Amino acid sequence: MPSQPPLYGYAPEDIETALVAHLSPLRRCGFERQAGDPLPFTLVSHITGTESANEGYADPVVSVHTLCDKTLGAPAARDESIKTHCRMLALLLDPTIVIGNRTIAVQYVEVVEQPRWEFFSDNVLRKVGRYRLGLPYVPAA
């Protein structure tokens, strides 16, 4: 019987799951938003990235969307976005994310694009920041 490669059974944590867990203390958060979900809401999307299987790490790039009710105004949306951005940057000081009973360590955080306004809908204001994170391979769940 052939032996398994050294990294068999290991992979980087799912970045959307990890960031939803990390950002959830701020407000409702997910990698999808259903119509009617209350605002503000944080939407996390994995948009690109690479892996180095030989070295056992990945560096996914994510977009983090802060969605706010337009009736509350742009200053309220800006303030919510600042909270989101600060929470992402907190990983620089405490690079751990707890997902249920598992803890993962983020190797680095890079701001690819500071939060900026992007159109979402006539009723919702959105600011989007993009980040690259270094994730080690962990035993696959």
Side-chain angles (χ1 to χ4, degrees), residues 33-93:
R33 179 179 177 266
Q34 302 299 319
D37 279 349
L39 296 172
F41 188 89
T42 304
L43 182 64
V44 177
S45 297
H46 180 187
I47 55 177
T48 192
T50 62
E51 286 188 42
S52 177
N54 290 333
E55 297 177 19
Y57 75 88
D59 62 347
V61 177
V62 295
S63 59
V64 178
H65 308 243
T66 303
L67 307 174
C68 296
D69 187 330
K70 192 172 188 175
T71 62
L72 298 176
R78 177 206 58 218
D79 292 347
E80 290 298 322
S81 176
I82 289 170
K83 291 176 191 175
T84 305
H85 187 59
C86 288
R87 181 74 178 166
M88 288 298 297
L89 295 178
L91 288 169
L92 294 168
L93 299 175

Side-chain angles (χ1 to χ4, degrees), residues 10 17 29 40 44 58 63 76 80 83 94 103 110 121 123 126 136:
Y10 287 78
T17 301
C29 185
V44 177
S63 59
E80 290 298 322
K83 291 176 191 175
D94 180 6
T103 301
E110 175 186 328
S121 78
N123 301 323
R126 169 173 68 169

Side-chain angles (χ1 to χ4, degrees), residues 98-103:
V98 177
I99 306 168
N101 62 354
R102 297 173 9 143
T103 301

